[in-house]
Structures are given as structure tokens and as C-alpha cells.
Amino acid sequence: MVRARRVQFVSTVTAALALSALFFALFAPALAFLEPPAHDPAHKAIRSSAVRVVLVWCFAWPIALARTVAARLRALWTLGCALLLVHIAVAFHVGHGWSHAAAWEHTRQVGGYGDGVFVNYVFALVWVVDAVWAWGAFGSYLRRPPWLTWAVHGFFLFVIFNAAVVFGGWVSRVVFGVFFVTCGYRIARGYHR
């Protein structure tokens, strides 16, 4: 019995350390909060936090389409939402000095349309509402009208694609371009069934 408990303890400790390392790796850009507020939209923590959001979204988006595994994807979906909120906070902290006017101006300079920053706010709000709905009333969430599911995830796809094209470098454009084509192909081939 002693040996079995020791093995179980080692397995538990190993799992806890692995989860802690994963958590730290995902939320490492939040270390930017240790720095004073700044006006550096090119700060590496901003791009790093954005990449994490998009990568988790890439793995979690099937929550809308794959009904049979959706329950297991809720945690991943919520993690993506949390990473999005961290990304926004990091961008405001080190990129815009907590100034909405600075964020608006940066969005205008890079994307040509300053009010696009409001699209980011709506994006975050929709993701938060969607994640809360998935946890609060999962049965209702799974029975929502298909047009609503497609509208939410079409909006997400639109925003993430534009963010990758407008704010990303050539590598992210290629990687996410391939991903988006693959998503379209999988949806067209009936992945959602």
C-alpha cells in the first residue's frame, strides 16, 4: 500500500507541476503588469498575448459546431476568453498607457479606422457572454438557434482574421491564412455533424 500511495503522490505532484508550467506559459505576458504603464504598441507582451488568444481559439472554436465534444471544450473556450481579457489589459497597460484615446489613435494608424477599437470591445463582450452562457445554461447553449451560433463564430472569425492581417507580421498572415482555409474546408466538408 505504501508504494501505491507514493506513486499516486508522485503522479499528482507531476500533474500539478505540469499544469502550473502550462498556466505560467499561457499567462506569461501578464508579467508586463510588473512594468509601469507605457505607450509602446510594439511591446512584445502585446503580440505574445494575442498569439496565445488566437491559438487557443483555433483549438476551441469547434465548441460551436461539434455538439458531441462541446462539454469538454468549455474549459478551453473559457481559457481563450480569459487570455483575451489578459491581452486587452496588457495592450492597454504597456501599449496605450491605459488611454482609450491612445488605443483609438493606434488602431487608426495601423488599421485606417480608429473606431475599429470598439469592434475589439464588442468582440470581448461577445466572448465573455458566450463563455458565461456555456457554463451557466449549457443545455440552452447547445439548443440555441444555428443562425446565432454561426453569427457569433463568424464574427469571431472575421475579427481574428482581420487582426492577423492588420496587426500580424507575414508569418502570422501565412499561418493563420492556412488555418482559415483549413477551417473553411472542414466546415464545408461537414465537420459540424
Side-chain angles (χ1 to χ4, degrees):
M1 283 295 182
V2 173
R3 180 157 170 72
R5 285 187 201 161
R6 183 175 294 151
V7 169
Q8 184 178 8
F9 174 75
V10 170
S11 297
T12 303
V13 169
T14 303
L17 289 173
L19 284 174
S20 298
L22 177 63
F23 184 81
F24 179 77
L26 287 171
F27 289 95
L31 293 174
F33 293 117
L34 299 175
E35 302 174 20
H39 291 275
D40 179 12
H43 194 286
K44 66 180 179 178
I46 297 170
R47 180 161 295 179
S48 177
S49 63
V51 167
R52 285 165 169 79
V53 171
V54 174
L55 288 176
V56 171
W57 176 82
C58 288
F59 288 105
W61 70 270
I63 190 172
L65 307 175
R67 303 291 188 200
T68 58
V69 296
R72 287 179 254 151
L73 289 173
R74 278 189 300 183
L76 190 58
W77 190 242
T78 305
L79 174 64
C81 182
L83 289 171
L84 172 66
L85 298 176
V86 168
H87 167 65
I88 292 169
V90 166
F92 268 90
H93 183 72
V94 296
H96 310 301
W98 292 104
S99 167
H100 168 74
W104 188 94
E105 182 58 28
H106 174 69
T107 304
R108 186 192 65 74
Q109 288 174 355
V110 174
Y113 183 66
D115 287 340
V117 75
F118 294 109
V119 174
N120 295 332
Y121 299 156
V122 171
F123 179 76
L125 179 64
V126 169
W127 199 335
V128 167
V129 167
D130 200 64
V132 168
W133 188 3
W135 283 100
F138 193 54
S140 167
Y141 182 83
L142 290 177
R143 289 188 307 274
R144 68 183 176 178
W147 68 264
L148 181 57
T149 298
W150 286 101
V152 167
H153 290 278
F155 174 63
F156 286 1
L157 182 65
F158 173 78
V159 171
I160 290 172
F161 178 79
N162 280 293
V165 169
V166 173
F167 294 98
W170 69 270
V171 172
S172 69
R173 290 178 183 141
V174 169
V175 169
F176 293 114
V178 168
F179 172 77
F180 293 127
V181 168
T182 303
C183 285
Y185 174 78
R186 290 178 77 182
I187 290 169
R189 297 281 301 170
Y191 177 77
H192 60 285
R193 291 183 193 162

